Amino acid sequence: IPLECQQGTTQAKMDPYFPFGKAVERYVKSYAAMAISYNDSVMTLDLLERKNKHDNGFCHWPRVAWVKPDGTFQPAHTNFTSCANPQAVG
């Protein structure tokens, strides 16, 4: 492995091309490009690191999407967490 990769300088050089501030926008555009829709589902995002927050990211669906016997679609409720640090490189 090149020394440059081991020291994180590659991430630092690429950081201007993938800024944290564009992360949610890119996420939404990527899903739209793959024709993924939410059909009135609710997604709660808790992405930033903060004091007393557990240090593991996870996602869970307290309510999954489903179709009632009468054909009525029931949208999902989804929760995503992460421990992102906007000041970090990469």
Side-chain angles (χ1 to χ4, degrees):
I1 299 173
L3 183 59
E4 180 176 276
C5 294
Q6 294 176 23
Q7 295 175 334
T9 54
T10 299
Q11 281 188 338
K13 288 178 182 178
M14 293 181 67
D15 200 55
Y17 300 101
F18 303 100
F20 183 82
K22 297 260 187 189
V24 173
E25 176 186 346
R26 288 186 172 145
Y27 173 84
V28 171
K29 285 183 177 181
S30 295
Y31 270 52
M34 293 184 283
I36 295 172
S37 65
Y38 292 97
N39 295 332
D40 296 324
S41 292
V42 174
M43 180 185 294
T44 303
L45 301 173
D46 181 10
L47 304 178
L48 301 178
E49 185 178 86
R50 64 178 180 279
K51 187 177 179 179
N52 297 324
K53 182 177 178 182
H54 292 288
D55 63 354
N56 65 321
F58 69 94
C59 74
H60 74 282
W61 278 259
R63 188 172 99 188
V64 298
W66 62 289
V67 178
K68 288 182 176 182
D70 68 2
T72 308
F73 178 76
Q74 301 299 299
H77 289 197
T78 310
N79 300 312
F80 286 93
T81 68
S82 163
C83 293
N85 179 347
Q87 308 306 315
V89 174

